[in-house]
Amino acid sequence: MTPTTSSPTTPRPPRRRTVLAGIGAVPLAAGATPVTTAAPRPDPAAGPAPTTLLQGAELVLTMDPALGAGDLGTLERADVLMRDGRIAGVGRRLPAPAGARVVDVSGMLVLPGFVDLHNHLWQSSIRGGCHTQDLYGWLADCNRATLPKIGPQDMYRFVRLAALDALQAGVTTVVDWVHPIPFDTSEQYIRALDHTGLRFVYAMAHNTADLDLVPRVKKELLDPLPLASAQVAVHAGMDRLDPLRRSREVARDLGLMINSHVLEHRGDRAQEPIRSLRAADAFGPDLLMNHAIHLTDDEIAQTAEADVRVAHCPLSNMRLGSGIIRLPELGRRGVRTGLGHDGGTNDTSDMFGVMKAAVGLQRALHQSVETHPTIPAVLRMATLGGAECLHMADQVGSLTPGKRADVLVLDPGTLNFAPRFDRLGQIVLNGQPGNVSHVYVDGRARKVRGKLVDVDTAEVVREAERAAARVRAGA
């Protein structure tokens, strides 16, 4: 079923994804087209987002218990009003303001946009690669072997491809852990993110000699963009304690979170990452730990006590044979946890698959259908839970009036989803990116009736294929 609208919508374990500074500045190959202009992008000067009323949804998941039944705030036969980029109202039979775009979503499901808590979008360039390797082999043969070959213009193409893939699959906020790259490559990386209309957090990794790039990138490239924010990406380990302390100082000066891969592989234990983060005074609520698979009982207790946040990437962990996170123990301790795709080792964007894997792994491991996360818990992890991990729960993650209008409309009238039985279970267990009918970011339509707005997807794919050919040729 398709919504209608009353008006048109327009050896030594290698470190996680470590690379050397100065890479990526490879000149374009002959015949490559520079990226100087791009497809339409959000333009703050274009005025406020249009007023839009999503009318008559079969089910609305507000993720706000004060706005509906149960922990997920469910409402049946309800409307959602977006005005000036914010949620203006949620309820039944809301009046349409004068001039509002009224979108008939009868029979559809409405919920907050997904928060992808951990990604490396440039790794669309190596999708499906090194599938016989574990983490360390994949890092050596795919990750580090590819990134030095990607110039700024082709970086734009790979990032835009992956960002649009995430957007069309229902991700409205993405945290991108970005390797040390030159300033001109950062320009193109951020340009690609900005052009998609995604809300994004740019987590900057760096080498000690280039630490000054962090405030420069933030000030010159991120601060002017209303949908962008920053983090400082680091490598944890006792042998890197001094750089870690310096990064913590920079993050504190700029008021930014620290973002680190931690204990993804059992071999990472030798680096004592938790000890290093504590010694650097980085182990607290402003730390986002990615993976955190191999935490001990004591480290889980420390994580909870310090209010450290965790990004869980089950599909990537499965693909690399890295292990299964101790999610029930983290849940019992109240550790704030969200979900992430993790770039090239997730291979595509599918938060429905991530949710299903997060539930299924724990059920299989513990041989119990009652273990954490339950279906409601994993839906919360994919939305408000991710926002809480980023200190952004006052902005996104639920359909609470006053928050930014990041909204999904799902079409259940498809072969993979129908017929109606248990809508919460069906979202997680049956949902696919193809069920995402509409996506709104900051109140602006980015996907309508199953199509990205103002995006020539065939051309995006062609440009990425040409970039991949240049990378394979070593250009």
Side-chain angles (χ1 to χ4, degrees), residues 6 10 145 150 162 188 196 223 235 282-283 288 297 328 365 380 389 433 474:
S6 62
T10 42
I150 303 176
Q188 293 301 329
T196 65
D223 287 351
H235 300 287
F283 202 73
L288 175 61
D297 288 345
L365 178 65
R380 193 181 188 282
C389 288

Side-chain angles (χ1 to χ4, degrees), residues 332-353:
R332 282 194 292 272
R333 289 281 190 168
V335 175
R336 299 176 196 267
T337 308
L339 299 174
H341 282 114
D342 196 26
T345 52
N346 197 78
D347 298 301
T348 191
S349 297
D350 183 355
M351 191 61 79
F352 303 97

Side-chain angles (χ1 to χ4, degrees), residues 26-79:
V26 180
L28 281 172
T33 304
V35 179
T36 53
T37 60
R41 58 167 296 233
D43 183 4
T51 299
T52 303
L53 179 65
L54 303 178
Q55 191 173 69
E58 175 188 314
L59 182 70
V60 176
L61 300 183
T62 69
M63 298 296 160
D64 184 341
L67 290 175
D71 292 341
L72 302 188
T74 58
L75 287 171
E76 294 187 356
R77 296 177 298 281
D79 310 329

Side-chain angles (χ1 to χ4, degrees), residues 80-373:
V80 177
L81 178 64
M82 298 176 280
R83 182 164 47 207
D84 297 331
R86 296 183 181 274
I87 303 295
V90 181
R92 298 184 178 93
R93 296 181 292 278
L94 296 180
R101 297 177 177 180
V102 178
V103 182
D104 178 7
V105 293
S106 55
M108 313 291 268
L109 317 177
V110 178
L111 64 156
F114 295 133
V115 177
D116 178 1
L117 208 53
H118 183 60
N119 215 322
H120 307 273
L121 293 172
W122 74 267
Q123 290 171 359
S124 64
S125 59
I126 48 178
R127 283 175 169 172
C130 300
H131 53 79
T132 62
Q133 305 275 32
D134 72 353
L135 171 63
Y136 294 160
W138 180 88
L139 286 172
D141 294 348
C142 270
N143 187 85
R144 282 194 291 276
T146 302
L147 187 53
K149 301 175 184 177
I150 303 176
Q153 310 296 340
D154 283 340
M155 181 65 79
Y156 174 95
R157 295 176 172 95
F158 290 132
V159 171
R160 187 160 189 257
L161 175 81
L164 288 171
D165 182 34
L167 183 66
Q168 65 87 25
V171 172
T172 54
T173 299
V174 63
V175 181
D176 206 348
W177 198 104
V178 184
H179 302 79
I181 53 178
F183 186 83
D184 59 344
T185 307
S186 293
E187 285 184 297
Q188 293 301 329
Y189 206 118
I190 292 167
R191 182 187 294 270
L193 283 162
D194 180 42
H195 285 180
T196 65
L198 269 172
R199 191 180 307 279
F200 66 96
V201 181
Y202 192 77
M204 295 172 277
H206 53 81
N207 291 298
T208 303
D210 299 315
L211 198 56
D212 61 323
L213 283 180
V214 174
R216 183 185 176 196
V217 168
K218 179 181 182 297
K219 180 179 179 181
E220 296 183 24
L221 303 181
L222 296 172
D223 287 351
L225 304 177
L227 298 183
S229 55
Q231 292 178 348
V232 177
V234 302
H235 300 287
M238 288 304 297
D239 61 340
R240 291 181 58 87
L241 184 55
D242 287 343
L244 184 56
R245 282 173 169 154
R246 291 185 61 187
S247 296
R248 180 68 185 102
E249 291 171 3
V250 170
R252 184 170 288 147
D253 289 345
L254 296 173
L256 303 180
M257 290 187 73
I258 289 281
N259 187 319
S260 182
H261 298 87
V262 173
L263 293 171
E264 179 178 4
H265 190 282
R266 60 185 179 276
D268 297 343
R269 171 65 58 191
Q271 305 303 318
E272 299 183 273
I274 300 296
R275 180 185 170 202
S276 71
L277 289 163
R278 293 181 67 88
D281 194 25
F283 202 73
D286 289 333
L287 171 63
L288 175 61
M289 296 195 305
N290 308 306
H291 306 294
I293 298 170
H294 301 284
L295 295 174
T296 65
D297 288 345
D298 183 58
E299 288 167 341
I300 290 174
Q302 293 178 43
T303 299
E305 182 179 0
D307 195 18
V308 173
R309 287 90 201 280
V310 171
H312 176 35
C313 307
L315 289 179
S316 172
N317 301 158
M318 292 166 62
R319 208 262 228 189
L320 293 170
S322 296
I324 302 176
I325 192 174
R326 300 177 64 189
L327 207 53
E329 291 90 337
L330 291 168
R332 282 194 292 272
R333 289 281 190 168
V335 175
R336 299 176 196 267
T337 308
L339 299 174
H341 282 114
D342 196 26
T345 52
N346 197 78
D347 298 301
T348 191
S349 297
D350 183 355
M351 191 61 79
F352 303 97
V354 171
M355 288 191 290
K356 189 188 304 183
V359 171
L361 276 172
Q362 301 302 328
R363 290 188 177 189
L365 178 65
H366 297 283
Q367 299 182 52
S368 169
V369 297
E370 298 177 352
T371 192
H372 177 75

Side-chain angles (χ1 to χ4, degrees), residues 383-407:
T383 53
L384 185 60
E388 288 173 343
C389 288
L390 300 173
H391 301 281
M392 293 175 65
D394 61 336
Q395 303 174 51
V396 298
S398 73
L399 302 184
T400 306
K403 289 190 180 184
R404 306 311 302 181
D406 293 0
V407 182

